[in-house]
Amino acid sequence: MEPADEDRIAAVLAGDTASFEPLVQKYSPRIFAMARRYARREDEVEDVVQEIWSKAYQRLAGFRGEAPFEHWLMRLAVRTCYDFLRRHQRNRESSFTELTEAENEWLDRFVAAPAEAPEDADAARQLVQRILDELSPDARLVITLLEIEERSVKEISRLTGWSPTLVKVRAFRARAKMKGILAKLARDKYL
Amino acid sequence: MNHKLLQEKLLAAARAHPPSDRVPYAFEKRVLACLPTQTAMDPLTLWVTALWRAALPCVAIMVLFFVWTRTSPGPGESAPAPVANLGSDLETTLLASVSFENELSW
């Protein structure tokens, strides 16, 4: 039988660094999937994940075992991704005249027949990424967690450390900001 | 253009394609190689560790003083002071100011 996470953590705290490796192997896929939502380039993704594991190791003594290790780790991961977004905040308003041909085609199809525009198209995904890049770090985080990962307000509150009211306020503002970006996109393209 | 519907479509597109969870080859080795040498401890553990580390030098200093007070000669003595004198020496030192004031009152 495999040792439990708690046993491995106890071993790491007792000085057995090698016991940390199975934890990294077990949880890295989830952490990579999360980091890829916020960092675009693969080298940035790897650096973020590296930072998450480094912090997890340094703060391991603070894990009291009241909740599963995975929850503790995901909280740390979300906060590190948020820090990454803040550090790499792009203070530029990208022009939607830079849209690729595929993105333009997808938008044209949407305007012609909104219900028929495919949701599984690469162009739609690229367009979402472009819009998310325009958002502020907290707006992007809350839209990703609430609208894309479909987590509850309570869960987001636990992950981010924000109060449930603050999560709702930020979600409201983020949706409004996103609508504003889409309106700008429509103006740039069709007016 | 219906912005609300466009927003829903785009978010649905993002939901439909979660990012890959692929981990680069031997990533765990890289993580382990870059780990800091020590885990950060909580303040209480840090305090307790510091106290334990300070205990040994404190005991050593105490033993040294004990040995020194036992072996050092008293004032005006060439030989080591007798153990019995230590108590009276301490008393004399502590009461020196009182005796001095009494002398002045005469």
Side-chain angles (χ1 to χ4, degrees):
Chain A
M1 204 173 95
E2 270 198 7
D5 290 348
E6 284 73 17
D7 297 336
R8 285 181 171 142
I9 291 163
V12 175
L13 290 174
D16 176 18
T17 314
S19 293
F20 197 61
E21 191 175 329
L23 293 171
V24 178
Q25 279 175 330
K26 186 176 174 185
Y27 294 109
S28 277
R30 282 203 65 185
I31 294 189
F32 264 95
M34 177 185 280
R36 285 191 179 109
R37 287 202 188 274
Y38 305 102
R40 208 189 274 199
R41 293 200 332 254
E42 199 55 25
D43 60 319
E44 283 179 338
V45 171
E46 287 183 20
D47 287 348
V48 170
V49 178
Q50 173 82 50
E51 191 184 339
I52 292 167
W53 281 117
S54 207
K55 281 184 182 173
Y57 181 77
Q58 281 180 301
R59 297 177 187 179
L60 209 54
F63 172 66
R64 291 192 293 273
E66 289 160 1
F69 175 67
E70 190 179 357
H71 293 185
W72 180 84
L73 184 65
M74 294 321 276
R75 214 160 40 229
L76 187 70
V78 165
R79 288 171 195 190
T80 308
C81 288
Y82 181 53
D83 289 342
F84 168 82
L85 286 177
R86 286 201 297 186
R87 280 201 306 270
H88 294 80
Q89 195 166 8
R90 292 168 182 90
N91 290 319
R92 64 180 182 91
E93 288 227 340
S94 79
S95 162
F96 286 107
T97 52
E98 295 167 2
L99 292 181
T100 62
E101 199 176 323
E103 288 168 340
N104 272 315
E105 269 177 28
W106 189 90
L107 275 174
D108 290 340
R109 281 181 73 177
F110 175 81
V111 171
E116 285 170 27
E119 289 164 3
D120 60 345
D122 278 343
R125 281 206 311 278
Q126 284 163 12
L127 214 45
V128 179
Q129 197 60 47
R130 205 181 271 275
I131 289 162
L132 289 175
D133 281 347
E134 295 273 312
L135 295 173
S136 65
D138 54 286
R140 182 172 180 164
L141 187 71
V142 82
I143 286 284
T144 305
L145 294 172
L146 193 70
E147 303 285 356
I148 299 176
E149 293 184 7
E150 298 182 298
R151 294 177 190 265
S152 68
V153 169
K154 197 177 162 189
E155 207 178 344
I156 297 169
S157 167
R158 194 172 49 73
L159 283 169
T160 55
W162 304 338
S163 70
T165 314
L166 184 62
V167 172
K168 286 179 196 168
V169 168
R170 285 189 164 164
F172 177 79
R173 285 186 193 149
R175 285 191 202 104
K177 176 74 182 163
M178 206 169 161
K179 269 190 196 130
I181 293 168
L182 289 172
K184 182 175 178 291
L185 166 70
R187 263 199 320 275
D188 284 359
K189 184 163 167 57
Y190 296 104
L191 292 179
Chain B
M1 190 191 286
N2 184 342
H3 297 151
K4 194 169 187 295
L5 187 59
L6 177 59
Q7 186 169 340
E8 280 168 16
K9 277 264 176 194
L10 292 175
L11 289 173
R15 276 195 291 272
H17 293 275
S20 157
D21 63 357
R22 188 186 58 80
V23 178
Y25 176 72
F27 185 76
E28 64 281 356
K29 304 283 179 207
R30 173 181 150 179
V31 169
L32 254 69
C34 297
L35 284 181
T37 48
Q38 267 195 326
T39 53
M41 284 185 274
D42 61 307
L44 187 69
T45 317
L46 218 60
W47 175 243
V48 170
T49 313
L51 280 183
W52 274 113
R53 281 184 187 166
L56 193 67
C58 286
V59 169
I61 290 168
M62 195 180 77
V63 169
L64 279 175
F65 266 101
F66 180 74
V67 171
W68 179 64
T69 50
R70 287 287 190 134
T71 55
S72 64
E77 290 175 13
S78 54
V83 178
N85 285 351
L86 190 66
S88 62
D89 284 351
L90 181 69
E91 195 176 315
T92 313
T93 311
L94 284 173
L95 299 173
S97 60
V98 181
S99 328
F100 185 63
E101 277 171 17
N102 286 344
E103 278 168 20
L104 285 179
S105 67
W106 282 99

